[in-house]
Amino acid sequence: MRLLITLFLFLLTFFSSFGQKPQRLSSADIYDEIKELQVLGSALYVAAHPDDENTRLISWLVNSQHIRTAYLSLTRGDGGQNLIGTEIAELLGVIRTQELLAARRLDGGHQFFSRANDFGYSKHPDETLRMWNKNEVLSDAVRAIRRWQPDVIITRFDPNSAGRTHGHHTASAMLALEAYEQAGNPNAYTDQLTELGTWQPRRIFFNTSWWFYGSRENFEKADKSNMVTVDVGTYFPLKGESNNEIAAESRSMHKSQGFGSIGTRGSQEEYLDLLRGDMPRDPTNIFDGINTTWSRLEGGEEIGRLLRQIELDYRHDNPAASVPALLQAYAKMGQLPDSYWKRTRMEDTRRVIEACLGLFAEAVASDHSATPGEEVTLNIEIINRSDIACQLEGLRIVPVGFDTTFSLSLENNVDHHWSHTLRLPKEMPFTAPYWLDKPWQLGMYQVDDPSLIGLPETPRKFKVMFSLIVAGFPMVIEKDVVYKYDDDVKGEVYRPFEVTPPVFANFESKVFLFTTDEPQEVSVRLRAGKDDVAGEVQICLPENWRVEPETLGFELEKKGEEKLVTFLLYPPASHSEGKITPIVKIGEEAYTKALVNIEYDHIPPQMVVEPSEAKVARMDLRKTGSRIAYIMGAGDLVPEHLRQIGYQVDVLPEEAITATTLKGYDAVVMGIRAYNVLQRIRFYQPVLLDYVKNGGTMVVQYNTSRRINLPAGELAPYPLKLSRTRVTVEEDPVSFVAPQHPVLNFPNKITQKDFEGWVQERGLYFPGEWAQEFTPILEMNDPGEDPARGSLLVAKYGEGYYIYTGLSFFRELPAGVAGAYRLFANLLSIGDAEKR
């Protein structure tokens, strides 16, 4: 029974679309679903990150071959950059999780994850597997295989490419290959066998291409006798688009990475290099020799014949005509011995029957969130839009214990509504991303509940079960409770229903820096999660720090109301770093959670409830100048953190880059990837360089080496060529190439200590070539590599200074790395160094 419940919850997770507008299948969609019911074959695609998956191949397997296909992304992309906002780290992981789910809704695949987190670029799989904890991530991959039971596994990357590409990429293929071997071993990961059986896939392929051979010419010459070649450029008349067009739409959901894609048409070959298992006799058929018909199940042949006849008899003008036969097939499936395919195809068939009926059922809460123990009003609706006899027998609302019976005939196109007010259980858990529930370490999230491992989202607990009799057959349709509202511009908008704490406490900044003994105001923004919240707030402090007052009272009358409470925080006299946490007490209960709202049009709104904390540091830092112009690029938090050390930072749009505007600033800072994302920056670059020539200081943070929106040679006042060089080991030593240079000495004396405590990396996309006018300041390298000197380059230009840096200040400043602040202050102060 435990096995059945676990797998049932797993299937529900993949068929649920939390907070999404209900999927409404067209007649053509239903026809495709009926064809898919006849195929009992599955595939698992494995790679490292969101965006690594081959959406062309996934879409082709699903939509052309009707293969049940999932993508296992070992990470949620937490270590990347964000081209659409300022969220990084775990919050970026939340965004990219939702982008993958959005992609799967378009291409028809399903989605898995492991507990690994993306700790940034890695140059070798050995490092990757140390950071990830190889055994645990391998366990997660084995678990995914045992759950999904793929006949075929496909890796995006070459398991034999160590040191030649991203370490995460190679590691993902190595782990997939080892998981292929271990999933069928009854002595491997035996803790999983109480809920899952063993499973041995038939084959595992590497999805290769010319790119892995260095050129198209090399690939043409390569021996392909061990490869399967498939043409994925299928055109789908019922969909009105090609497979490659669907795949481009899917890939374009990776908006935080800037992977918008243009759809293509025509033939498109994909190559799969066999790694293990038997080579198909037909080199154009991935599943050759694998029984993907209903005859693979004992007693299943009759169901296959029945489904084939349903397809032949299908009426595009009246899908409901297929319901009686589908119900017969559904009943026969229920008589089969328990198996993966019985469970999955019964659930699929139920959804097809629901679509054929034109059945619409939903439960909409009166608000988008509530707290445990609070009352919630649900508006419940159901309508049968067919002539098939359908009767509502009961409603059950979980986990509140509401259960009622009906004997209500659902006549064709007659809408039925009810409203129920009920109280959530006091012990109901919050709807936070499960992988963020507990503190995590670099490389791995901690997830204690095995049933959650691998799932894309936390399963929702608040549901309504509709018990029906359809043409004499009992059936239960389950719907998550959602929230829906009418937006003046967007119209009908759905969002997930959330269970939250009664109060949130967010620090106004994630970092508070103290450069003197003087106290600073530290503000906590309280937000009510329900009406009538009152209590007191205090701050938990590191040793030797002091706060006044110790406690502040508050009252919040209405849900959503906010109040700013301000403490005076006193630092110690000497260097000290630590973390502070707000504690909000309401009666006997204490709350320490912050709320982060993430809202973008291409994904459902996300309310991320996470531990509330901020870093505090007493540090020795000096600066000169006061006014900084910041030209935002891909999105970062550098401006607000420069304000922490006393700068006035004005974020300027491109059109504000004029000689008159810039004249009043001590320095201009270009945000990360500004030259990659600002489409009109080429028109303003001469103004910026003239600003430098006339005595200004310009700091340019990293850009990628591709897609620079400038003519060649115009990134800097002197020749400068970017490369892909990066230093990923943040603990690696740094050497001072120009120890007497002002940027290392004024106004702060930079020492090796300033490079301690850096996070994720030293830097990325360093220049590889530069003119003699540039002075390299630092030298660094990852283990076993030649030293790189392009991380920080300074050039005198006219009366001012042009500085290019690939150092990852955009990560270090939000992390509160004291040395990064001191060095950045020196960069901004360089114009005053010569005036000493």
Side-chain angles (χ1 to χ4, degrees):
M1 179 59 70
R2 182 179 174 186
L3 173 64
L4 288 174
I5 292 173
T6 300
L7 287 170
F8 180 65
L9 288 173
F10 173 73
L11 292 173
L12 287 178
T13 299
F14 278 89
F15 288 120
S16 297
S17 297
F18 305 147
Q20 285 293 307
K21 191 170 185 175
Q23 184 182 24
R24 292 161 184 158
L25 300 181
S26 69
S27 179
D29 293 331
I30 296 171
Y31 180 68
D32 268 346
E33 295 271 343
I34 290 172
K35 293 176 72 174
E36 185 174 328
L37 289 177
Q38 300 172 60
V39 180
L40 273 57
S42 59
L44 182 66
Y45 201 93
V46 182
H49 313 104
D51 88 347
D52 285 344
E53 81 274 27
N54 185 339
T55 54
R56 290 191 304 268
L57 190 54
I58 290 174
S59 177
W60 179 79
L61 285 167
V62 173
N63 296 296
S64 175
Q65 304 301 295
H66 306 295
I67 295 296
R68 184 174 167 84
T69 307
Y71 173 42
L72 170 59
S73 176
L74 295 186
T75 77
R76 297 175 186 265
D78 335 68
Q81 285 82 53
N82 183 358
L83 296 186
I84 60 174
T86 59
E87 298 90 352
I88 59 174
E90 74 279 3
L91 297 180
L92 179 57
V94 172
I95 292 172
R96 292 190 174 176
T97 294
Q98 292 300 318
E99 289 180 336
L100 272 178
L101 291 173
R104 299 293 80 80
R105 285 190 288 272
L106 288 169
D107 59 36
H110 299 266
Q111 188 61 52
F112 288 117
F113 293 96
S114 83
R115 288 169 290 171
N117 62 47
D118 178 2
F119 57 85
Y121 193 88
S122 176
K123 294 181 178 178
H124 200 281
D126 289 350
E127 178 204 25
T128 299
L129 295 174
R130 285 195 304 271
M131 301 295 287
W132 277 356
N133 186 325
K134 176 187 174 182
N135 186 61
E136 290 188 5
V137 182
L138 178 60
S139 168
D140 294 354
V142 169
R143 184 183 297 274
I145 293 170
R146 288 172 172 175
R147 274 178 163 169
W148 194 249
Q149 297 192 9
D151 299 300
V152 170
I153 296 175
I154 303 170
T155 73
R156 168 75 279 190
F157 300 106
D158 182 357
N160 300 308
S161 61
R164 290 186 280 118
T165 185
H166 195 330
H168 296 186
H169 292 170
T170 306
S172 72
M174 293 169 62
L175 288 167
L177 194 57
E178 192 166 349
Y180 167 87
E181 303 284 0
Q182 294 294 328
N185 181 356
N187 297 315
Y189 302 105
T190 55
D191 58 305
Q192 299 176 7
L193 300 181
T194 56
E195 58 176 291
L196 300 167
T198 59
W199 178 256
Q200 181 57 57
R202 178 77 170 265
R203 300 172 184 131
I204 180 169
F205 294 99
F206 157 41
N207 182 194
T208 190
S209 73
W210 69 263
W211 187 89
F212 293 96
Y213 286 75
S215 71
R216 295 182 188 275
E217 292 75 18
N218 290 341
F219 188 57
E220 287 294 324
K221 300 173 187 175
D223 178 10
K224 299 183 179 62
S225 60
N226 202 46
M227 294 184 193
V228 172
T229 306
V230 295
D231 185 351
V232 300
T234 310
Y235 174 68
F236 303 114
L238 292 179
K239 297 179 184 295
E241 56 186 342
S242 71
N243 182 69
N244 290 341
E245 288 171 313
I246 295 172
E249 293 176 39
S250 172
R251 187 159 182 79
S252 295
M253 287 297 101
H254 296 299
K255 298 186 187 301
S256 67
Q257 303 186 68
F259 282 145
S261 298
I262 297 176
T264 61
R265 289 143 294 280
S267 178
Q268 172 75 54
E269 289 188 328
E270 290 287 343
Y271 299 88
L272 296 106
D273 194 355
L274 185 70
L275 298 175
R276 296 282 192 281
D278 63 319
M279 182 68 185
R281 293 185 179 181
D282 179 355
T284 66
N285 184 357
I286 300 171
F287 282 79
D288 183 45
I290 299 173
N291 185 359
T292 60
T293 73
W294 275 89
S295 65
R296 78 183 292 172
L297 300 185
E298 182 182 351
E301 288 189 59
E302 184 181 354
I303 296 171
R305 288 192 293 269
L306 180 54
L307 290 170
R308 174 59 178 160
Q309 193 61 47
I310 292 171
E311 178 194 342
L312 295 174
D313 295 341
Y314 182 73
R315 289 180 55 187
H316 285 273
D317 66 330
N318 183 19
S322 298
V323 169
L326 283 166
L327 286 168
Q328 291 181 41
Y330 185 78
K332 290 183 181 296
M333 292 176 197
Q335 296 169 6
L336 296 177
D338 180 56
S339 71
Y340 168 84
W341 283 111
K342 171 185 174 177
R343 292 187 296 272
T344 57
R345 284 302 181 230
M346 285 191 74
E347 176 61 22
D348 294 341
T349 304
R350 186 205 59 71
R351 290 188 300 112
V352 172
I353 292 169
E354 183 181 344
C356 287
L357 292 170
L359 190 73
F360 180 87
E362 73 174 11
V364 178
S366 55
D367 202 348
H368 72 278
S369 68
T371 63
E374 190 177 1
E375 283 192 342
V376 177
T377 298
L378 294 186
N379 296 305
I380 299 171
E381 177 183 1
I382 188 168
I383 182 171
N384 167 29
R385 291 170 288 189
S386 75
D387 287 326
I388 300 296
C390 191
Q391 185 161 306
L392 179 64
E393 294 286 292
L395 284 177
R396 184 176 175 221
I397 304 175
V398 294
V400 299
F402 179 89
D403 204 344
T404 188
T405 58
F406 290 87
S407 184
L408 177 65
S409 177
L410 302 180
E411 298 177 355
N412 187 359
N413 214 32
V414 177
D415 207 3
H416 299 274
H417 294 264
W418 300 271
S419 180
H420 290 283
T421 299
L422 39 88
R423 190 174 298 278
L424 298 181
K426 290 184 177 180
E427 67 277 7
M428 196 163 183
F430 304 143
T431 52
Y434 70 86
W435 62 97
L436 301 180
D437 276 351
K438 294 197 171 182
W440 59 90
Q441 296 180 342
L442 185 66
M444 292 295 295
Y445 289 116
Q446 180 180 338
V447 180
D448 293 337
D449 184 349
S451 69
L452 294 176
I453 294 173
L455 302 186
E457 299 180 275
T458 307
R460 301 285 160 149
K461 305 292 186 182
F462 199 13
K463 301 174 180 289
V464 176
M465 317 285 199
F466 297 83
S467 296
L468 304 170
I469 301 293
V470 179
F473 288 83
M475 185 171 293
V476 175
I477 292 176
E478 179 177 303
K479 300 292 180 180
D480 292 323
V481 172
V482 296
Y483 175 65
K484 180 172 69 175
Y485 64 97
D486 181 8
D487 183 273
D488 290 343
V489 176
K490 300 176 184 177
E492 185 179 61
V493 177
Y494 284 80
R495 64 176 294 162
F497 177 81
E498 312 283 359
V499 181
T500 73
V503 65
F504 304 99
N506 289 54
F507 283 116
E508 288 291 270
S509 176
K510 288 282 191 177
V511 177
F512 294 97
L513 301 178
F514 296 76
T515 59
T516 70
D517 296 344
E518 295 299 313
Q520 287 186 32
E521 290 186 344
V522 171
S523 296
V524 180
R525 185 171 297 276
L526 302 174
R527 179 184 173 93
K530 66 175 185 176
D531 292 343
D532 298 321
V533 178
E536 58 183 31
V537 191
Q538 62 188 61
I539 297 180
C540 182
L541 302 170
E543 189 177 359
N544 297 325
W545 292 72
R546 181 169 62 86
V547 69
E548 291 181 358
E550 291 187 357
T551 302
L552 285 171
F554 73 93
E555 292 184 3
L556 297 169
E557 184 178 349
K558 295 293 183 181
K559 178 179 179 177
E561 182 180 350
E562 295 183 350
K563 181 177 182 179
L564 203 62
V565 296
T566 302
F567 297 85
L568 204 58
L569 183 60
Y570 291 81
S574 57
H575 180 86
S576 175
E577 297 184 23
K579 291 188 176 180
I580 57 175
T581 302
I583 301 174
V584 184
K585 293 184 178 179
I586 302 174
E588 297 298 317
E589 300 293 328
Y591 300 92
T592 61
K593 299 291 187 179
L595 172 66
V596 180
N597 284 305
I598 299 176
E599 296 196 25
Y600 295 100
D601 286 344
H602 65 298
I603 60 175
Q606 302 294 301
M607 289 181 66
V608 181
V609 179
E610 62 176 4
S612 183
E613 62 181 23
K615 182 170 182 178
V616 293
R618 168 68 171 93
M619 58 189 291
D620 178 22
L621 183 146
R622 298 174 178 83
K623 69 176 185 66
T624 66
S626 59
R627 296 191 67 207
I628 307 297
Y630 200 91
I631 315 300
M632 189 65 73
D636 59 62
L637 297 172
V638 171
E640 70 176 70
H641 291 286
L642 291 180
R643 294 182 187 114
Q644 274 286 323
I645 55 175
Y647 286 105
Q648 175 189 325
V649 184
D650 298 331
V651 178
L652 302 183
E654 283 179 285
E655 57 269 22
I657 302 175
T658 67
T660 301
T661 302
L662 299 183
K663 190 174 182 180
Y665 290 101
D666 298 301
V668 174
V669 180
M670 305 299 291
I672 63 170
R673 298 183 68 170
Y675 290 100
N676 296 128
V677 301
L678 298 180
Q679 298 300 315
R680 296 177 57 80
I681 192 63
R682 64 187 183 277
F683 300 119
Y684 302 104
Q685 181 72 347
V687 178
L688 291 165
L689 294 183
D690 281 346
Y691 163 79
V692 178
K693 191 173 184 179
N694 292 326
T697 296
M698 182 177 176
V699 179
V700 180
Q701 297 179 88
Y702 99 94
N703 292 269
T704 63
S705 52
R706 294 189 305 151
R707 297 181 181 177
I708 296 285
N709 292 315
L710 284 174
E714 294 187 13
L715 178 61
Y718 308 111
L720 180 73
K721 186 176 180 180
L722 300 182
S723 73
R724 297 179 63 86
T725 300
R726 61 205 303 161
V727 175
T728 64
V729 180
E730 60 271 24
E731 302 91 356
D732 274 358
V734 174
S735 299
F736 298 161
V737 177
Q740 304 307 315
H741 197 280
V743 296
L744 294 179
N745 293 279
F746 178 82
N748 303 290
K749 178 67 174 177
I750 302 300
T751 69
Q752 293 294 336
K753 187 173 180 60
D754 290 297
F755 289 93
E756 295 177 2
W758 283 49
V759 300
Q760 187 161 320
E761 61 202 352
R762 289 294 191 199
L764 61 171
Y765 291 97
F766 299 164
E769 300 175 22
W770 53 86
Q772 62 181 5
E773 286 84 357
F774 285 100
T775 301
I777 305 299
L778 305 172
E779 183 178 87
M780 59 187 71
N781 58 276
D782 280 327
E785 295 188 354
D786 293 333
R789 293 190 170 189
S791 63
L792 180 57
L793 303 174
V794 181
K796 181 78 172 177
Y797 179 59
E799 299 299 317
Y801 286 90
Y802 177 97
I803 300 173
Y804 190 95
T805 179
L807 295 173
S808 59
F809 288 108
F810 72 103
R811 296 195 189 280
E812 313 312 320
L813 301 191
V817 178
Y821 280 92
R822 284 164 44 84
L823 180 56
F824 210 105
N826 281 15
L827 302 184
L828 298 176
S829 304
I830 190 171
D832 293 321
E834 61 188 27
K835 300 175 185 177
R836 290 182 293 169

